[in-house]
Amino acid sequence: MTNSLIPGGLLIAIEGIDGAGKTTLANRLADVLRQAGAEVVQSKEPTTGPWGMKLRESAATGRLQPEQEVDYLLRDRRQHVEELIAPTLARGGVVILDRYFPSMVAYQGATGLPLDELLAANDFAPRPDVLLLLDLPPATGLGRIRARGDAPNHFETEQNLQRCREIFLQLQLPTKQLIDASQDADAVLREAHAAVIGEVTRRLGSNAPLDDEQLRSLQRLATASLA
């Protein structure tokens, strides 16, 4: 099957505290959209690039100063946007991100840095067409982390995750869709899938000019089934 290209691409960001099920949802949602013919590129932040790895290493060895974390995250995100996100969207692909700039606002905002300044620092980053916020209590997320055999890292204390959760919930971003992540994975996928189909359907109903192939691509995605 030839990949269906979407005019302007489709940027889906999956957010939430640790243990919310972001990676599981990203993988399953990507499978559904690929089966519908979309070109799907999955990625995550921090990335495995040089700046992202500095952040990943600090999760195990001890957190950096908040300002240093912000500096590394912004450098990592600029590279991510330039090398992967923007080119994929430009050619009409779907990008699914496991964490994006809202995580920086939540996690570094939880240290006391001003939320409005953190948001403004990310003005260069394309805004998600669909922002899926997986919400659950920190104790539940930590229980899941331990159940899979991992030890919580320096970012994953219950107190810190509670502050992050509160910031995620208060963020006013236009495409944010709140999903109860304490549900089972199938229920979370159904809600996420419905949010994506809603965005595709909105584009079909807009007055934006579409050629025949673009119209067919959107129609295929709009009728994508979970079966």
Side-chain angles (χ1 to χ4, degrees):
M1 178 188 293
T2 302
N3 283 339
S4 301
L5 298 180
I6 303 166
L10 186 67
L11 179 55
I12 303 169
I14 303 175
E15 290 286 5
I17 64 170
D18 299 271
K22 297 178 295 299
T23 302
T24 297
L25 176 60
N27 292 337
R28 298 187 70 189
L29 187 59
D31 287 344
V32 171
L33 297 180
R34 287 191 182 108
Q35 288 168 13
E39 175 198 343
V40 180
V41 174
Q42 288 180 254
S43 191
K44 61 174 58 181
E45 292 193 356
T47 73
T48 55
W51 301 107
M53 289 308 297
K54 290 179 183 291
L55 269 298
R56 291 183 178 278
E57 291 162 4
S58 74
T61 60
R63 291 192 65 170
L64 305 168
Q65 290 298 309
E67 293 80 7
Q68 189 70 72
E69 291 178 347
V70 168
D71 180 56
Y72 287 172
L73 284 164
L74 290 174
R75 290 174 185 268
D76 185 51
R77 186 163 300 116
R78 285 186 185 278
Q79 184 176 7
H80 200 197
V81 168
E82 291 171 5
E83 296 180 1
L84 186 144
I85 297 172
T88 304
L89 296 177
R91 67 175 180 264
V94 177
V95 179
I96 299 180
L97 298 179
D98 180 344
R99 294 202 184 282
Y100 194 34
F101 70 84
S103 274
M104 190 187 93
V105 177
Y107 279 79
Q108 279 61 53
T111 70
L113 297 181
L115 303 187
D116 56 347
E117 293 181 13
L118 291 171
L119 278 170
N122 284 278
D123 281 347
F124 68 90
R127 268 29 191 175
D129 298 298
V130 180
L131 174 57
L132 303 170
L133 175 56
L134 306 188
D135 179 57
L136 83 173
T140 304
L142 289 170
R144 290 178 177 179
I145 291 169
R146 295 187 180 98
R148 66 190 185 213
D150 295 332
N153 63 39
H154 287 277
F155 290 85
E156 297 169 342
T157 67
E158 187 164 352
Q159 183 180 26
N160 186 59
L161 293 181
Q162 181 58 38
R163 288 196 296 266
C164 293
R165 182 192 189 193
E166 291 166 359
I167 294 172
F168 274 129
L169 290 172
Q170 77 182 64
L171 280 179
Q172 298 298 311
L173 295 169
T175 61
K176 184 173 81 173
Q177 304 262 359
L178 186 65
I179 297 177
D180 179 2
S182 64
Q183 304 176 92
D184 63 52
D186 287 344
V188 170
L189 177 61
R190 284 194 296 272
E191 290 194 32
H193 177 257
V196 173
I197 298 305
E199 168 59 18
V200 174
T201 302
R202 183 195 67 78
R203 292 194 190 186
L204 278 169
S206 73
N207 294 320
L210 300 170
D211 62 32
D212 288 345
E213 181 54 36
Q214 290 172 336
L215 181 61
R216 285 193 293 270
S217 294
L218 287 174
Q219 288 172 336
R220 279 194 291 270
L221 282 178
T223 57
S225 171
L226 288 177

